Amino acid sequence: MSIKTAVNLYIVSTMSDSGKTAIVSALLRVLSRRSLHVTPFKAQNMSLNSYPSIEGGEIALAQAMQAYVAGLMPSVHHNPILIKPMTSDRAEYIILGKPRAQLSFNEYLNDDAIRHLAINAVKSSIRRLKDEFDLVVGEGAGSAYEPNLASRDLANFRPAEWLDAGVFVVLDIDRGGSFIQGLGLIKSLPPGWRKLVKGFIINKFRGDEKLLSTAIKWLEKKTGKPVLGVLPYVDDLWLWPEDSMDLRPIGNGPLNIALIAYPYISNFNDVYPLILEDDVTVRIVRDPRELGDPHLIILPGSKNVVASLDWMRRTGMDKELARIRGSAVILGICGGFQAMGKLLSDPYGVEAGIPGDYRGLGFVDTNTIYGIDKVVSLSRAVGLRGELENVGIRGYEIHRGVPQYAGDEPLIMITERNGKTTKQLDGVLREKELIVGITLHDSLGDPNFRSFVLNMARELAGLPRRNSSASSSIELLLSQVDRLASIIEDKLDIDFMVNDN
């Protein structure tokens, strides 16, 4: 690739879920292969799925994924503002990795102190990334331009302007109206931001590209902006998810696994390593009538465990889980583990929004105490019981809740957090009742833990025990991105994008 003067890139769209995250990931992979020192960047992300950064802060899972794709460790500067919804009208605002406030969106937009902090965080991250890397590949959020939010934009054109980036607009043709949306965006933008747009990328096309030639010429003539390529619809790609819109079933094997998709579900990428197991079927269960009689039930993480428990009681999911208790393996991960306990004590209201004590499902004899400080770490642990005794396990932690044991014994000892030695008892195992709890996210990405849980379910199902693939969740991720990178390298004019035209 011949580069005269490399320019930073900013990928935006006219809507959410158009494929921006996947395209940025693939571009990072392609450009890093071409000996460019590249980095991801998303100024502001709203997501319940998060990940620890190398500094010990919290960023969106999608930007952590993009960092690994670029050959980097995730940093708070890859995503300086993370918004994690707590209720329908309030969210936790995490700036440069640290929780700063719990506000409504209107309060966030109008609170001068928090806005000043957020703007400075975005600008300082941009300065740092520009200094340290050959090229920054940024990603916008949602719709790139909304007239009611434009003056307070911290996600799309304003950070692209600060980054001196060329902006490329992704048009999701699968959902229709993409050419009109592209024209509408260009016509709506203020002249200064309109100049930043260098072209369009048509995404998720099914069929013969020749059918689009007339429409492409129309859009280019109307806007004066080129179409850089048409990307096909890829429906079997498994990248780390941005939000619950990415929830989908896995596999078609005899091992029946039910993932309970309650409100505020978070970090459900925990189940993605099950893609490596050819004998599993993972179903997404949103209604107790859909539960059936699985061999394994997974209670995933939740940003608001109290609200998720309330939903389970309102819908009758708690009764269905109680019915099947003892006849299916039940695995609770982080918030799911907390939900299985007897009591959740939230004296500061940091989990539920309102201080109080809340009743869990009562499946295990543990209580959870929520503190002000949040544990955010890449962690290592060692098993204490059963087949996991003295077995090393890796994962990550993002939680305020700490387990208190009121009768059950811990499953593991967390021995390391962000490279520092620690000793924290965690998890639970009730072998006779087939119940497993653990706080470590991505524990199913660890082959030892994955084999342990799945073999419990296989024995129940009358299936042969087996050792899990040795591939890690990151190795699985890279293999998926490589597939998309090959497509993008073939279909997209990347040389045009990165050269200062």
Side-chain angles (χ1 to χ4, degrees), residues 22-23 26 234 237 239 479-489:
I23 290 171
V234 182
L237 196 66
L239 303 185
S479 69
Q480 296 291 305
V481 175
D482 282 342
R483 291 177 50 220
L484 185 59
S486 297
I487 294 170
I488 279 186
E489 197 159 26

Side-chain angles (χ1 to χ4, degrees), residues 15-223:
M15 64 177 72
S16 295
D17 197 36
S18 61
K20 298 186 299 292
T21 299
I23 290 171
V24 168
S25 301
L27 283 170
L28 288 163
R29 192 70 167 157
V30 170
L31 295 170
S32 61
R33 283 175 177 170
R34 298 185 181 186
S35 300
L36 286 169
H37 192 35
V38 294
T39 182
F41 175 72
K42 186 162 185 170
Q44 179 174 287
N45 198 343
M46 179 179 287
S47 177
L48 287 172
N49 297 336
S50 59
Y51 197 89
S53 71
I54 193 172
E55 302 92 348
E58 187 177 1
I59 65 171
L61 184 73
Q63 277 59 68
M65 169 188 74
Q66 291 167 345
Y68 282 126
V69 166
L72 308 170
M73 289 298 293
S75 167
V76 295
H77 299 291
H78 295 141
N79 173 217
I81 304 171
L82 171 61
I83 304 172
K84 299 184 77 172
M86 297 177 63
T87 64
S88 59
D89 62 350
R90 293 184 73 79
E92 181 177 41
Y93 289 83
I94 296 167
I95 299 177
L96 289 179
K98 302 299 180 185
R100 300 293 184 177
Q102 295 180 1
L103 305 167
S104 70
F105 188 59
N106 188 57
E107 288 171 335
Y108 170 62
L109 291 178
N110 293 288
D111 185 311
D112 290 341
I114 199 75
R115 292 289 296 173
H116 181 73
L117 188 65
I119 290 169
N120 284 344
V122 172
K123 287 184 173 181
S124 66
S125 292
I126 285 174
R127 285 194 297 268
R128 180 165 182 153
L129 296 179
K130 287 176 69 174
D131 287 344
E132 294 183 3
F133 292 89
D134 297 330
L135 195 149
V136 180
V137 184
E139 178 185 341
S143 171
Y145 184 79
E146 296 290 346
N148 57 315
L149 298 176
S151 64
R152 292 178 170 86
D153 172 45
L154 272 182
N156 291 291
F157 278 94
R158 187 159 283 112
E161 193 172 32
W162 294 337
L163 191 58
D164 299 318
V167 174
F168 296 88
V169 181
V170 175
L171 302 176
D172 182 353
I173 198 168
D174 188 57
R175 285 188 278 180
S178 56
F179 292 100
I180 294 297
Q181 290 168 18
L183 175 61
L185 174 64
I186 296 301
K187 295 295 185 182
S188 301
L189 289 172
W193 285 358
R194 192 179 306 152
K195 290 179 182 177
L196 295 179
V197 178
K198 303 301 181 184
F200 297 99
I201 299 168
I202 297 174
N203 195 28
K204 302 183 185 179
F205 179 66
R206 311 172 194 247
D208 186 351
E209 290 180 27
K210 294 176 183 176
L211 296 174
L212 299 180
S213 59
T214 302
I216 287 173
K217 290 176 182 176
W218 177 88
L219 182 63
E220 291 179 332
K221 182 178 179 180
K222 291 285 186 180
T223 63

Side-chain angles (χ1 to χ4, degrees), residues 25 35 42 113 173 210 230 243 248-249 277 310 314 346 365 368 371 398 405 408 433 441 456 468:
S25 301
S35 300
K42 186 162 185 170
I173 198 168
K210 294 176 183 176
V230 178
D243 55 41
R248 50 189 167 137
E277 309 293 332
D310 179 64
R314 283 188 290 102
D346 188 9
D365 290 333
T368 297
I398 300 178
Y405 291 88
D408 277 315
E433 295 181 48
H441 288 294
M456 287 179 66
S468 292

Side-chain angles (χ1 to χ4, degrees), residues 338 343-348 350 357 366-373 399-404:
Q338 296 168 11
L343 182 72
L344 293 82
S345 181
D346 188 9
Y348 306 102
V350 293
D357 293 333
T366 62
N367 301 319
T368 297
I369 309 297
Y370 294 101
I372 293 292
D373 295 331
H399 60 94
R400 286 190 173 94
V402 178
Q404 307 290 318

Side-chain angles (χ1 to χ4, degrees), residues 359-386:
R359 183 167 53 93
L361 294 172
F363 290 177
V364 295
D365 290 333
T366 62
N367 301 319
T368 297
I369 309 297
Y370 294 101
I372 293 292
D373 295 331
K374 183 182 287 191
V375 176
V376 181
S377 74
L378 299 168
S379 303
R380 293 176 182 267
V382 62
L384 300 176
R385 302 185 61 210

Side-chain angles (χ1 to χ4, degrees), residues 143-362:
S143 171
Y145 184 79
E146 296 290 346
N148 57 315
L149 298 176
S151 64
R152 292 178 170 86
D153 172 45
L154 272 182
N156 291 291
F157 278 94
R158 187 159 283 112
E161 193 172 32
W162 294 337
L163 191 58
D164 299 318
V167 174
F168 296 88
V169 181
V170 175
L171 302 176
D172 182 353
I173 198 168
D174 188 57
R175 285 188 278 180
S178 56
F179 292 100
I180 294 297
Q181 290 168 18
L183 175 61
L185 174 64
I186 296 301
K187 295 295 185 182
S188 301
L189 289 172
W193 285 358
R194 192 179 306 152
K195 290 179 182 177
L196 295 179
V197 178
K198 303 301 181 184
F200 297 99
I201 299 168
I202 297 174
N203 195 28
K204 302 183 185 179
F205 179 66
R206 311 172 194 247
D208 186 351
E209 290 180 27
K210 294 176 183 176
L211 296 174
L212 299 180
S213 59
T214 302
I216 287 173
K217 290 176 182 176
W218 177 88
L219 182 63
E220 291 179 332
K221 182 178 179 180
K222 291 285 186 180
T223 63
K225 312 289 183 180
V227 172
L228 278 303
V230 178
L231 303 179
Y233 190 98
V234 182
D235 61 358
D236 59 345
L237 196 66
W238 291 91
L239 303 185
W240 292 359
E242 189 95 58
D243 55 41
S244 58
M245 292 177 71
D246 298 312
L247 266 173
R248 50 189 167 137
I250 295 172
N252 191 31
L255 195 63
N256 185 339
I257 301 173
L259 176 71
I260 308 301
Y262 33 61
Y264 303 104
I265 181 175
S266 67
N267 291 76
F268 52 85
N269 59 295
D270 283 339
V271 303
Y272 278 23
L274 298 180
I275 298 164
L276 296 165
E277 309 293 332
D278 59 13
D279 63 343
V280 309
T281 294
V282 180
R283 296 181 294 115
I284 311 303
V285 176
R286 294 184 172 90
D287 187 303
R289 292 169 293 185
E290 300 170 350
L291 185 59
D293 293 294
H295 305 118
L296 170 62
I297 298 169
I298 299 177
L299 300 177
S302 171
K303 174 57 184 166
N304 190 329
V305 180
V306 173
S308 297
L309 278 165
D310 179 64
W311 174 85
M312 285 192 270
R313 292 194 173 100
R314 283 188 290 102
T315 60
M317 183 65 79
D318 62 330
K319 291 182 175 63
E320 278 296 289
L321 293 173
R323 173 188 67 81
I324 206 168
R325 178 182 173 189
S327 60
V329 178
I330 300 179
L331 169 64
I333 303 174
C334 196
F337 169 36
Q338 296 168 11
M340 291 196 303
K342 288 185 172 181
L343 182 72
L344 293 82
S345 181
D346 188 9
Y348 306 102
V350 293
E351 178 73 14
I354 301 173
D357 293 333
Y358 302 90
R359 183 167 53 93
L361 294 172

